[in-house]
């Protein structure tokens, strides 16, 4: 954990959401232990002079119990705000995206769908992904690493289309460690230059909702 915090600070990250994978109703999650570990990380940042603000959160896998877990506060939304980071599955359908969005919105939360570039329906129909946002106040997150890989033509078209249409709401590290999946936000910022408006690039890296 300490090495990852140091790596994030070196990437000029000033605010970091601690988002463990959570599977409501399927895998037990100890929120009290999470809160304890988060406070320990905050103390480490303070004691070591890291200019890094840590906020609560979770990457919440969509299950039959996700909405109730959010309502009851058994899992953290991002900084306990209205925004909840929701992970779907690769083969999710548009019908399911719509239905899940409506359920979360009715519960009083705004879904941020995590790494939308992984979902097949999004990849093949970026135009439809944009239209969903016209009808529902949902947000889309893309991983910083996805800006740094060429990928295939479908992947490239999706990223280009979503950036050109300003359909992505935030770029985040999705960092898991310092080696296999490190934070690469500085590289992502450089990769955004020339691919979208400067103001939009800044907005992508400074999400103001939480």
């Amino acid at each position: 954990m300490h090495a990852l915090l140091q790596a994030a600070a070196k990437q000029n990250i000033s605010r970091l959401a601690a988002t463990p994978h959570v599977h409501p109703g399927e895998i037990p999650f100890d929120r009290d232990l999470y809160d304890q570990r988060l406070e320990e990380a905050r103390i480490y940042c303070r004691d070591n002079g890291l200019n890094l603000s840590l906020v609560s959160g979770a990457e919440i896998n969509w299950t039959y119990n996700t909405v109730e877990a959010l309502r009851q506060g058994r899992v953290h939304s991002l900084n306990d705000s209205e925004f909840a980071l929701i992970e779907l599955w690769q083969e999710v359908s548009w019908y399911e995206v719509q239905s899940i969005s409506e359920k979360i919105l009715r519960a009083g939360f705004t879904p941020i769908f995590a790494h939308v570039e992984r979902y097949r329906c999004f990849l093949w129909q970026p135009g439809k992904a944009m239209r969903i946002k016209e009808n529902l106040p949902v947000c889309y997150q893309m991983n910083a690493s996805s800006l740094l890989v060429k990928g295939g033509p479908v992947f490239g078209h999706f990223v280009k289309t979503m950036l050109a249409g300003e359909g992505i709401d935030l770029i985040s590290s999705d960092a898991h460690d310092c080696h296999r999946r490190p934070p690469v936000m500085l590289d992502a910022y450089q990769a955004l230059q020339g691919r979208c408006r400067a103001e939009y690039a800044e907005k992508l890296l400074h999400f103001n909702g939480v």
Side-chain angles (χ1 to χ4, degrees), residues 116 129-130 133 138-141 161-170 200 204:
V116 292
M130 299 283 284
K133 286 173 63 71
V138 300
C139 297
Y140 297 154
Q141 177 262 329
T161 300
M162 295 301 288
L163 291 177
E166 302 191 359
I168 299 298
D169 296 281
L170 68 156
Y200 178 53
L204 286 172

Side-chain angles (χ1 to χ4, degrees), residues 31-203:
R31 175 170 163 156
D32 290 338
L33 179 60
Y34 167 87
D35 291 341
Q36 177 186 328
R37 294 287 186 263
L38 179 59
E39 185 58 27
E40 290 171 0
R42 286 169 173 160
I43 291 170
Y44 175 84
C45 290
R46 184 195 67 201
D47 291 350
N48 288 273
L50 301 185
N51 183 29
L52 191 59
S53 171
L54 301 181
V55 301
S56 58
E59 187 170 333
I60 309 168
N61 187 268
W62 176 258
T63 72
Y64 70 95
N65 204 28
T66 293
V67 167
E68 201 58 31
L70 280 167
R71 280 180 174 150
Q72 295 176 0
R74 289 188 279 114
V75 297
H76 284 288
S77 58
L78 292 178
N79 201 23
D80 294 320
S81 70
E82 68 180 276
F83 294 95
L85 183 64
I86 304 295
E87 183 173 34
L88 303 176
W89 55 99
Q90 186 176 352
E91 301 297 337
V92 68
S93 68
W94 285 122
Y95 173 81
E96 289 166 322
V97 172
Q98 177 102 10
S99 175
I100 290 167
S101 299
E102 291 172 350
K103 288 175 181 176
I104 294 172
L105 288 165
R106 282 198 299 269
F109 295 90
T110 298
I112 300 176
F113 290 118
H115 39 64
V116 292
E117 67 273 24
R118 295 185 184 177
Y119 310 138
R120 192 175 299 276
C121 65
F122 281 76
L123 277 176
W124 285 97
Q125 292 183 292
K128 180 138 189 189
M130 299 283 284
R131 289 194 294 276
I132 290 277
K133 286 173 63 71
E134 293 173 3
N135 298 317
L136 294 170
V138 300
C139 297
Y140 297 154
Q141 177 262 329
M142 182 181 289
N143 287 353
S145 59
S146 295
L147 299 173
L148 308 177
V149 296
K150 184 176 181 180
V154 173
F155 182 88
H157 176 69
F158 173 79
V159 173
K160 181 179 179 180
T161 300
M162 295 301 288
L163 291 177
E166 302 191 359
I168 299 298
D169 296 281
L170 68 156
I171 302 290
S172 51
S173 70
D174 197 26
H176 284 53
D177 52 48
C178 294
H179 304 289
R180 190 173 63 90
R181 293 173 66 175
V184 289
M185 296 300 286
L186 286 177
D187 290 338
Y189 179 73
Q190 292 299 321
L192 284 171
Q193 305 310 302
R195 299 177 73 175
C196 58
R197 293 186 306 113
E199 296 84 359
Y200 178 53
E202 290 291 334
K203 178 183 175 182

